[in-house]
Amino acid sequence: QVQLVESGGGLVEAGESLTLSCATSRPIFSASTMSWYRQTLDNQRELVADIDRSGSTNYADSLRGRFTISRDFAKNTISLQMNSLKPEDTGVYYCHAESLASNWGAQRDIWGQGTQVTVSS
């Protein structure tokens, strides 16, 4: 089994930036749409952004312009650049892949363990 491993979370002040990264635990052949979700203090999990095989991106309306998702197709990793962070961005950020293929077979609906982002006011 391949896992998604997030990194880059931490504690920052409002207005600062953070970059999250998501990598696979083992080499993979391909991955379909990959996404970032977050679970905020009100315990709602929401889509932050996603990027498909063609490189097309999609963002939550409230985050467009501050957050940027990118993908390294050679490494099958994704990043999330977060600028002008606000206290309401605080939460656990999760990486997700719709499907991926590796020597260990095909997997669907894969989630990372999450990385904490805390923005102080």
Side-chain angles (χ1 to χ4, degrees), residues 104-118:
W104 293 269
Q107 294 172 236
R108 294 190 179 278
D109 195 26
I110 307 101
W111 291 92
Q113 82 287 351
T115 185
Q116 177 70 45
V117 172
T118 304

Side-chain angles (χ1 to χ4, degrees), residues 49-119:
D50 61 39
I51 183 165
D52 66 15
R53 289 181 187 274
S54 71
S56 293
T57 58
N58 176 53
Y59 295 92
D61 288 342
S62 62
L63 302 176
R64 188 174 290 111
R66 291 197 297 125
F67 288 16
T68 302
I69 188 171
S70 59
R71 183 168 180 171
D72 184 329
F73 286 90
K75 298 179 179 179
N76 279 298
T77 61
I78 61 170
S79 298
L80 184 69
Q81 174 69 40
M82 305 184 293
N83 297 327
S84 304
L85 283 163
K86 304 175 182 180
E88 52 263 42
D89 294 319
T90 294
V92 180
Y93 285 69
Y94 296 90
C95 180
H96 176 264
E98 281 188 352
S99 66
L100 54 85
S102 70
N103 280 332
W104 293 269
Q107 294 172 236
R108 294 190 179 278
D109 195 26
I110 307 101
W111 291 92
Q113 82 287 351
T115 185
Q116 177 70 45
V117 172
T118 304
V119 184

Side-chain angles (χ1 to χ4, degrees), residues 2-23:
V2 178
Q3 296 176 326
L4 298 176
V5 181
E6 302 101 332
S7 61
L11 171 63
V12 296
E13 294 185 354
E16 294 185 337
S17 299
L18 270 179
T19 300
L20 306 182
S21 297
C22 172

